[in-house]
Amino acid sequence: MAVEKMHLVNIMARLDNLDSFLEDLIEIDEFDQVDALRQIQNREFSITSNEANIEKTEDFNNIESFEKLDPNFLKKLEDMKEFLNLKDSTHGKKIDNEKLEYLYNILDEKINEKKKLEERNIKLEEYIRNLRALENEDIDINKVQKLNYFSYRLGEVSKDGRFILKNNYESIPSLIIHLKENDPDIEINKQALGDIYNIDKETKKLRDDTDKILENEKANVNKISIELNEEYDKKTKNDSSKLYDDILSKANVESKNIEEFYKQQKSETEKIYKDKKDSIIKDFFQKIIK
């Protein structure tokens, strides 16, 4: 293996020409960049002190580091590179922020949609791996999914997670099946899974029977309630009719009594008037004549 001698090159240029000059250096691919500002601070980057370099020496006081690229800018570049399936190239051209933003805004929706599809694809691939692992052990995922009173999870457990599970089996109310080749406990676990199927089935049957009984009782209660309401309405109606008839009957009796009393008073008044009429008229005329 040959070892090539390296040389440190100090470069200074006008800012107007610096961008294009650096692009040319990058395309040559023979230069490794070194932080010049740090070298100046460490006095490793120097200029010969003479009359011709006075202005350059003074300019050292105004030297600043390059403005760091915004991480979001770099992320957008990476997103577009991945979306457009672009390869690294030594013949690329610099693109300014405005053009990048314009291009990114055009592709943004598609980039996000692609990311969502990729995430969904990862989940589907994981799901397929889990299905294949279940099929290898003759475990029917459809029966597991149709369990009514048991939930399930598929996934991988880390080494630390397996250690925690192993030391807490007795306190975990779950059936844990390790889907690995030649698992000595797989038949026992499959038998336990069959017991879970039976428990779930019997629990579902018991729940259905209980719901049916409750539904029948509810229907009977509603029926009795309706009958009681009808009987109450009927009784209330009959009592109201009887009360109304009693009031009318009592009113008729009172009306007759009042009418008889009126006739009696009228008769007595007429009798008194008739008896006193002549006497009253006679007394009246005598008073007038006098």
Side-chain angles (χ1 to χ4, degrees), residues 55-283:
E55 292 184 1
K56 294 179 181 179
T57 304
E58 291 177 349
D59 288 340
F60 271 29
N61 298 320
N62 300 322
I63 291 178
E64 296 179 356
S65 62
F66 286 110
E67 182 180 352
K68 294 183 179 180
L69 291 177
D70 184 358
N72 292 328
F73 180 84
L74 296 176
K75 183 178 182 302
K76 290 177 181 179
L77 285 175
E78 290 295 332
D79 288 343
M80 288 191 293
K81 176 183 175 183
E82 182 181 355
F83 178 75
L84 299 173
N85 196 23
L86 300 177
K87 305 296 182 181
D88 292 333
S89 172
T90 58
H91 303 289
K93 292 185 178 180
K94 182 180 178 182
I95 182 172
D96 60 33
N97 289 7
E98 292 184 1
K99 290 183 178 180
L100 175 68
E101 288 293 339
Y102 175 75
L103 182 59
Y104 187 81
N105 289 334
I106 295 175
L107 300 176
D108 183 32
E109 184 177 350
K110 296 297 182 182
I111 290 174
N112 290 330
E113 184 177 349
K114 180 175 180 288
K115 288 181 178 180
K116 290 180 181 178
L117 290 174
E118 289 174 345
E119 292 175 358
R120 183 182 178 188
N121 185 58
I122 292 173
K123 292 181 179 179
L124 289 175
E125 289 179 351
E126 182 180 0
Y127 185 72
I128 291 173
R129 288 196 301 270
N130 291 332
L131 283 180
R132 288 174 178 170
L134 291 172
E135 289 176 354
N136 291 337
E137 302 299 341
D138 296 327
I139 297 176
D140 189 352
I141 186 61
N142 291 323
K143 293 181 68 174
V144 175
Q145 288 179 324
K146 291 179 181 179
L147 289 172
N148 297 285
Y149 301 99
F150 293 88
S151 58
Y152 70 94
R153 289 181 60 184
L154 301 175
E156 297 181 357
V157 182
S158 64
K159 184 177 181 180
D160 293 337
R162 289 195 296 270
F163 178 78
I164 294 173
L165 285 175
K166 186 176 180 180
N167 289 277
N168 290 276
Y169 277 149
E170 295 182 358
S171 59
I172 300 176
S174 304
L175 170 63
I176 300 174
I177 300 178
H178 300 283
L179 299 175
K180 62 180 181 179
E181 295 183 1
N182 302 321
D183 184 1
D185 297 327
I186 187 62
E187 293 301 326
I188 298 175
N189 289 333
K190 287 167 67 175
Q191 183 178 355
L193 183 60
D195 294 338
I196 288 178
Y197 292 151
N198 293 330
I199 293 173
D200 188 79
K201 181 180 179 181
E202 292 299 322
T203 304
K204 180 68 167 57
K205 183 177 181 300
L206 179 61
R207 178 59 184 269
D208 291 342
D209 292 342
T210 303
D211 289 343
K212 186 179 293 184
I213 293 172
L214 292 175
E215 191 66 28
N216 291 335
E217 289 298 321
K218 182 179 178 181
N220 290 333
V221 170
N222 289 336
K223 181 180 179 181
I224 294 173
S225 177
I226 292 172
E227 291 176 353
L228 288 174
N229 285 334
E230 291 177 350
E231 184 176 349
Y232 175 78
D233 291 341
K234 182 178 179 181
K235 180 174 175 50
T236 302
K237 184 177 180 180
N238 293 336
D239 291 345
S240 298
S241 298
K242 184 176 181 303
L243 180 62
Y244 180 72
D245 292 340
D246 292 342
I247 292 173
L248 288 180
S249 177
K250 187 175 181 180
N252 288 332
V253 172
E254 292 293 333
S255 177
K256 289 179 180 180
N257 292 336
I258 292 172
E259 186 177 355
E260 290 179 359
F261 176 76
Y262 172 75
K263 289 180 179 180
Q264 183 179 357
Q265 292 296 320
K266 182 180 179 182
S267 176
E268 291 179 357
T269 302
E270 289 177 349
K271 182 179 179 181
I272 294 172
Y273 175 75
K274 187 176 180 180
D275 293 340
K276 300 291 183 178
K277 177 181 177 182
D278 294 338
S279 175
I280 292 172
I281 293 173
K282 184 178 179 180
D283 291 340

Side-chain angles (χ1 to χ4, degrees), residues 10-23:
N10 297 330
I11 299 173
M12 297 181 66
R14 292 183 177 276
L15 292 178
D16 296 339
N17 303 326
L18 187 59
D19 286 345
S20 59
F21 181 66
L22 290 176
E23 288 178 6

